[in-house]
Amino acid sequence: MTFTSPADVRERLAAVDYLADDAIATTVYLAAALGKPLLVEGPAGVGKTELAKAVAAITDARLVRLQCYEGLDEPRALYEWNYKKQLLRIQAAGDQSWNATHDDIFTEEFLLERPLLTAIRRTDPTVLLIDEMDKADVEVEGLLLEVLSDFQVTIPELGTITAARRPFVVLTSNATRELSEALKRRCLYLHLDYPSTERERDIVRARVPGIDEALAARLAQVVAMLRELELKKAPSIAETLDWARTLLALGLDRLDGEAIAATLGVVLKHHSDHERALKEVVHGDARAR
C-alpha cells in the first residue's frame, strides 16, 4: 500500500468523497510509508471509522474490522479452536493414542480465525480497523502489542504466524478512557474534531448529490450551532448527511425554524436535547430575525 505524497492521499480520498485536510493526508501518508499503525482519536461521529473505510476504498483493500466492546477477549479478537468439531474427532479416533489425536485436532482444519489473525494472514491488500479501542478492557491492549509491533500472532499449537503482507492498521478511540503508553508508542497519532462550517458544507455537497449550495451552507451553520449547546449527544457528520437527505426527500429548499422543528429527530436523539435546541436555536434564531 503506497502513496506518492500527502497530496496524493488527499486527492485520492477526495475521489471517494472523503475530504481530508493537511493533517489527515500527511498522517495517512506517513502511516503507509513507515508501516506504522494509525491511532485516530476524537469525539464520536467525526469520521474516524469512515477514514479507514475510505483508505480501503482508494487502495482496493479489504476492510477487516474488529469492533471493540467491554468483555472482548482473545478468542473473539485473535482466534479460537472449534471445540465441537474437535470433540467429534476425538470421539471418532477411538483407541488412537492421545498424542496422535492431539496432533490431529490442533491443525488448520479446526482453527477459527478472528479479525486480528485474518488480517495478519491475508496476502492481498488489507486495512485492519480496530474500532472504538477505548471501549475494550485494558487487558485487550496487551493482545495487540505483538500484532502492532511485529505484525505477527503466536499460536502455541501451531507456532508464530508472521504477516506476509502488512495490513494498514487504523485504531479509533472516542477518548472515553486513556489508552496505554505502550500501545500509543507503536502508533502514529491523529486527532479529529468536528469540521469547520465551511468544510462540513463541502462534505454535504460532496456526499449528497442534488443539494443546493445555500441549503448545504445553512445546514452546516445550524449543525455548528447545535454542537455549541450542552447536549447529551452532539450531531455527527453522518447525522448531518442524513439531515441533508431528509430535507431533499421532503422537497424542502429552506431550513427555517419550522423545518428544523419538524426534522430535528434526524440529528438529535434525546428529548432534553430537542427542548434545548428548540429554545436556543429555533426560537433564538426567530428572535434574531
Side-chain angles (χ1 to χ4, degrees):
M1 186 176 297
T2 58
F3 300 105
T4 59
S5 66
D8 177 44
V9 174
R10 188 169 186 168
E11 182 178 337
R12 290 167 69 179
L13 286 175
V16 294
D17 296 332
Y18 191 98
L19 305 187
D21 59 20
D22 290 340
I24 295 172
T26 300
T27 310
V28 169
Y29 169 75
L30 290 174
L34 301 176
K36 300 274 285 184
L38 174 58
L39 171 60
V40 187
E41 194 170 64
V46 295
K48 303 184 295 296
T49 300
E50 286 301 314
L51 177 59
K53 293 179 179 179
V55 170
I58 65 176
T59 56
D60 292 322
R62 175 183 168 187
L63 181 73
V64 176
R65 182 173 183 170
L66 173 62
Q67 180 63 52
C68 296
Y69 54 88
E70 186 177 351
L72 177 68
D73 55 11
E74 182 174 352
R76 287 168 176 77
L78 279 168
Y79 69 91
E80 63 181 322
W81 294 104
N82 189 332
Y83 298 117
K84 292 182 179 179
K85 192 172 180 180
Q86 285 176 322
L87 181 58
L88 291 173
R89 180 61 62 87
I90 291 171
Q91 292 172 341
D95 296 333
Q96 181 176 288
S97 69
W98 167 246
N99 287 338
T101 303
H102 178 278
D103 293 340
D104 187 32
I105 64 174
F106 287 103
T107 59
E108 290 281 351
E109 180 184 353
F110 299 91
L111 185 65
L112 299 176
E113 291 184 352
R114 299 310 182 204
L116 296 181
L117 181 58
T118 297
I120 288 295
R121 301 184 79 179
R122 279 181 54 79
T123 56
D124 295 327
T126 305
V127 172
L128 171 60
L129 169 61
I130 304 173
D131 212 11
E132 298 186 302
M133 184 68 225
D134 52 323
K135 288 188 176 180
D137 299 324
V138 176
E139 292 76 16
V140 174
E141 295 184 30
L143 300 177
L144 294 174
L145 298 184
E146 182 182 22
V147 176
L148 300 183
S149 294
D150 304 316
F151 290 89
Q152 64 182 31
V153 172
T154 299
I155 302 176
E157 297 84 358
L158 297 179
T160 298
I161 299 173
T162 303
R165 181 171 188 162
R166 288 190 173 191
F168 184 94
V169 182
V170 178
L171 302 92
T172 73
S173 169
N174 297 333
T176 58
R177 71 170 177 84
E178 190 72 24
L179 301 180
S180 72
E181 291 301 323
L183 182 68
K184 288 185 174 181
R185 279 198 305 271
R186 288 160 171 80
C187 304
L188 299 184
Y189 180 81
L190 174 66
H191 182 269
L192 290 186
D193 209 336
Y194 293 112
S196 66
T197 302
E198 292 76 17
R199 183 161 167 257
E200 190 148 24
R201 174 203 62 201
D202 293 341
I203 292 171
V204 170
R205 295 193 68 202
R207 300 291 292 273
V208 185
I211 192 167
D212 179 75
E213 182 177 358
L215 181 58
R218 171 61 177 164
L219 180 64
Q221 178 189 40
V222 173
V223 170
M225 294 168 63
L226 291 175
R227 289 181 183 142
E228 292 177 357
L229 304 178
E230 294 182 5
L231 303 176
K232 288 186 176 181
K233 172 64 175 66
S236 66
I237 297 174
E239 287 165 331
T240 301
L241 297 174
D242 285 342
W243 206 0
R245 296 183 185 106
T246 297
L247 298 176
L248 288 184
L250 293 174
L252 298 175
D253 56 7
R254 293 181 57 199
L255 190 59
D256 53 19
E258 184 178 350
I260 293 173
T263 59
L264 201 54
V266 176
V267 286
L268 299 183
K269 313 300 169 63
H270 296 274
H271 180 63
S272 59
D273 288 348
H274 275 238
E275 291 185 325
R276 182 175 293 275
L278 290 172
K279 177 182 178 181
E280 300 293 337
V281 176
V282 178
H283 298 154
D285 191 44
R287 286 194 297 270
R289 291 172 184 272

